[in-house]
Amino acid sequence: MLVEFKTKNFKSFVEEAVFSMVAAPKQKGLDYSLMNTSIKGKKIKGLSCSVIYGPNASGKTNIIGAMDVLRAIILRGNIRNSEEKSSPNPASAALELIPNNNASKSEPVDFEIEFYEEDCDSNKFKIHYELKLDLGGFLEESYQRKILAEILEVNGEKVFERTNELKIYNLKVIKDYLSDITEQNINGVYEIAKNSLNCEELFLTNGFKLICSPKFAKLIIDWFANKFMVIYRADSMQLIKRFADPKQKAVYIEKTTDEAARLFGINSNAVGYVVSENEPEAKLYSVFKNMKNQKTTAIAADIFESYGTIRFINMFPLVIKAMQTGGTLVVDEFDASIHPMALMSIINVFHNDDVNINHAQLIFNTHNPIFLNSNLFRRDEIKFVERNDDTHDSVLYALSDFGTTGDKGVRKHEDYMSKYFISQYGAIKDIDFTPIFEEIICNKKEG
């Protein structure tokens, strides 16, 4: 379960942006959607959903992009550019795209993340990880990057801190996860770990993983790989399925996804994944039964099904995975080309504590005001991103930050949508294209 994510000097977020998935104090309403958990006697109320609003180019996608970049850095274990250039988020592979393009001098880029995770024995851990990077300036591809700081805390106890030097603290908090070598000779391990530091490589996924605790490092890395599902850019979302025997030509119809697609509305008899000899990656196909000869035929889904249908079918297995594993699903423009009733049904599943028993979370940005509804979302679940027209800097805040009193107070059952459109909460832009067309008409008359 994601607790909090922070970033600073990431693209348009010059000042620190704090994205919290913890229930704000004194907020009431939709309490059944909260996820209650505790570690070492400390209780926390987590949010199961969060929706982000803001005008075009305000920075909504940037906050999701920052999550995706941190995930990518951790999974590859370094801050060198990735050889994989096909990512929909270029900044995750080419880190020179991260620094603010309006900055007169380079400033460190910060990431912080805190989440809860369980091991196979149901032991719970609150994991806090920080990363401070010197990436140079915008588009400085040849800049010698370096990690300025890296910190890991577990259950409130600092495990290691890496700055100019490395400090390993009391490891009792993860004593059951330590390697045999570490348990027997902590001082010797410290010296080996200190000498293994590389300015471009994470200590978490290199020295710590190899020397101190392979098991605990794997617990963290697996969370980023399998439970922190960040879908950057709605128009590029694909779910590619792989099968054990790619050489066998087959049509595979996944029962749960097909049932969901039928409820959503498909034009064919069924949808399935086809694997051929020449293409090991499974592709989505529409399956038909010929009414004349009763034979089954499969054709590429993008030829026959709508974009919204294909997008829903690609996304729905990720929703299932989040619900089954207690993962956090973060989607750019989750609602693109999908009917609001289908979206509301998915949101209600995340909000239903009888169904969402594994504490799955859904985070998405949108332009659709239908979700600005006190019957759908709590005030602390509704976030806004606003960008300053002069500095082009973005700020992130929640509806619950306005409080409940005063002229700008937000009360539990008021009409959020109408207040948003009169700019009561900011993060909206008045756009009038009329002068452009008036000038075109005027020039045409004069010409």
Side-chain angles (χ1 to χ4, degrees):
M1 180 178 77
L2 178 66
V3 177
E4 188 175 73
F5 175 80
K6 296 180 182 179
T7 191
K8 183 178 181 181
N9 282 316
F10 181 92
K11 293 191 175 183
S12 60
F13 287 98
V14 176
E15 299 300 322
E16 184 178 73
V18 181
F19 192 95
S20 176
M21 290 297 285
V22 177
K26 300 180 181 179
Q27 298 295 307
K28 296 181 180 179
L30 303 182
D31 289 344
Y32 59 81
S33 69
L34 295 177
M35 302 182 297
N36 298 301
T37 189
S38 62
I39 290 185
K40 303 295 183 182
K42 186 175 181 180
K43 295 182 179 180
I44 184 172
K45 293 182 178 180
L47 302 177
S48 57
C49 285
S50 191
V51 56
I52 310 169
Y53 280 94
N56 289 109
S58 61
K60 299 188 305 299
T61 300
N62 284 351
I63 197 70
I64 293 176
M67 295 179 184
D68 188 47
V69 166
L70 176 61
R71 179 181 182 274
I73 289 174
I74 288 175
L75 293 184
R76 68 174 177 260
N78 61 66
I79 57 172
R80 295 185 287 272
N81 279 353
S82 171
E83 296 180 0
E84 175 59 52
K85 301 299 183 183
S86 62
S87 170
N89 181 7
S92 67
L95 302 189
E96 67 271 11
L97 299 175
I98 292 175
N100 185 278
N101 63 310
N102 293 315
S104 57
K105 62 176 182 178
S106 62
E107 296 286 349
V109 175
D110 295 358
F111 298 101
E112 286 186 43
I113 193 166
E114 188 168 287
F115 59 95
Y116 285 102
E117 179 61 316
E118 290 187 17
D119 64 10
C120 57
D121 297 320
S122 298
N123 297 310
K124 291 183 180 179
F125 297 96
K126 183 178 75 170
I127 297 168
H128 182 96
Y129 181 74
E130 299 181 28
L131 197 57
K132 183 185 289 288
L133 309 175
D134 178 7
L135 303 179
F138 182 64
L139 296 182
E140 282 192 78
E141 186 176 358
S142 60
Y143 186 83
Q144 181 58 55
R145 301 170 187 158
K146 57 185 174 182
I147 298 169
L148 300 177
E150 184 183 5
I151 299 171
L152 175 65
E153 295 179 1
V154 178
N155 295 346
E157 298 287 337
K158 194 172 287 187
V159 175
F160 70 75
E161 180 177 14
R162 174 246 190 106
T163 50
N164 292 330
E165 58 182 21
L166 176 67
K167 294 181 181 178
I168 297 179
Y169 294 86
N170 192 335
L171 298 177
K172 288 184 178 179
V173 67
I174 56 169
K175 58 183 175 60
D176 296 333
Y177 288 82
L178 298 178
S179 66
D180 294 337
I181 298 175
T182 303
E183 285 188 303
Q184 295 166 9
N185 186 5
I186 183 64
N187 291 328
V189 165
Y190 170 71
E191 288 300 321
I192 296 172
K194 184 173 65 173
N195 293 329
S196 71
L197 286 181
N198 181 298
C199 65
E200 292 185 327
E201 294 182 352
L202 306 186
F203 179 65
L204 171 68
T205 54
N206 291 280
F208 181 77
K209 176 184 175 182
L210 296 173
I211 302 167
C212 301
S213 180
K215 288 171 60 179
F216 201 79
K218 185 177 185 301
L219 182 77
I220 296 173
I221 295 167
D222 283 352
W223 184 84
F224 280 97
N226 301 315
K227 293 188 178 182
F228 194 40
M229 296 173 282
V230 184
I231 308 301
Y232 179 87
R233 290 183 63 98
D235 59 356
S236 60
M237 185 178 72
Q238 294 181 351
L239 178 65
I240 303 300
K241 287 182 170 288
R242 298 181 182 273
F243 297 88
D245 186 7
K247 295 182 180 180
Q248 181 181 358
K249 188 174 181 179
V251 177
Y252 174 72
I253 299 176
E254 189 177 60
K255 183 175 181 292
T256 306
T257 303
D258 186 56
E259 288 176 353
R262 288 175 181 275
L263 289 172
F264 180 80
I266 55 175
N267 293 318
S268 52
N269 298 115
V271 289
Y273 297 92
V274 171
V275 181
S276 65
E277 294 180 1
N278 299 325
E279 297 180 350
E281 291 184 343
K283 292 189 175 182
L284 187 66
Y285 273 67
S286 297
V287 182
F288 301 88
K289 178 181 277 189
N290 190 308
M291 300 308 293
K292 292 182 179 180
N293 56 24
Q294 299 299 303
K295 289 184 178 180
T296 300
T297 304
I299 66 172
D302 56 4
I303 296 175
F304 194 78
E305 306 290 352
S306 70
Y307 173 74
T309 299
I310 294 171
R311 191 169 185 276
F312 173 81
I313 294 168
N314 280 332
M315 181 177 65
F316 196 74
L318 298 180
V319 174
I320 294 173
K321 183 178 179 180
M323 297 297 294
Q324 289 176 333
T325 65
T328 300
L329 177 58
V330 186
V331 186
D332 174 60
E333 294 186 5
F334 172 67
D335 57 330
S337 303
I338 299 177
H339 195 279
M341 293 302 291
L343 298 170
M344 287 183 185
S345 179
I346 293 175
I347 291 167
N348 287 337
V349 168
F350 280 89
H351 272 158
N352 188 335
D353 56 5
D354 291 328
V355 178
N356 190 4
I357 57 176
N358 294 315
H359 292 176
Q361 295 169 302
L362 174 65
I363 298 168
F364 65 99
N365 60 24
T366 183
H367 292 288
N368 193 336
I370 195 171
F371 305 112
L372 285 167
N373 188 319
S374 61
N375 294 317
L376 285 176
F377 284 96
R378 293 164 50 94
R379 283 166 289 177
D380 44 14
E381 291 180 314
I382 299 173
K383 321 287 190 189
F384 298 101
V385 175
E386 187 170 47
R387 194 167 185 177
N388 186 294
D389 288 335
D390 296 324
T391 64
H392 304 290
D393 298 347
S394 298
V395 292
L396 171 70
Y397 54 95
L399 189 58
S400 56
D401 292 341
F402 287 90
T404 57
T405 60
D407 294 338
K408 292 193 175 182
V410 181
R411 291 155 189 84
K412 185 170 63 174
H413 293 301
E414 71 181 34
D415 188 347
Y416 301 158
M417 187 189 300
S418 64
K419 292 289 183 69
Y420 177 61
F421 279 114
I422 62 171
S423 199
Q424 182 77 24
Y425 314 134
I428 193 169
K429 195 170 184 178
D430 184 20
I431 301 175
D432 183 6
F433 295 117
T434 304
I436 295 176
F437 290 96
E438 288 177 341
E439 184 177 354
I440 292 172
I441 293 170
C442 181
N443 290 340
K444 187 176 181 180
K445 288 181 179 179
E446 292 177 356

